[in-house]
Amino acid sequence: MTAFSRPSVLQKTASITLSKPVQVTLYMLLSTLVIWTFFFSTYPAAHNTTHSARHHTLGVACH
């Protein structure tokens, strides 16, 4: 048996998917998607909740 063993494909995949840059990127994409969904949603509950914030922060006219 050799002193050096090759990492398995599962270990390589885990190290790539759990790396900090990947985590930060996924977090930012998810956050952006959530914010975009609420600010530009036509669903009445989401629209009414973010109505004033939408007009004051983005200057978006919705009607």
Side-chain angles (χ1 to χ4, degrees):
M1 183 180 253
T2 62
F4 299 104
S5 62
R6 294 177 38 185
S8 69
V9 174
L10 184 60
Q11 289 173 335
K12 288 180 184 179
T13 304
S15 69
I16 292 171
T17 58
L18 299 177
S19 67
K20 289 294 181 189
V22 172
Q23 288 179 16
V24 169
T25 302
L26 290 173
Y27 178 76
M28 290 179 65
L29 287 172
L30 181 62
S31 300
T32 302
L33 179 65
V34 169
I35 291 170
W36 178 271
T37 300
F38 277 105
F39 270 120
F40 297 104
S41 176
T42 56
Y43 179 63
H47 177 83
N48 293 338
T49 302
T50 60
H51 187 85
S52 62
R54 168 190 254 186
H55 287 293
H56 293 290
T57 58
L58 298 175
V60 175
C62 61
H63 43 91

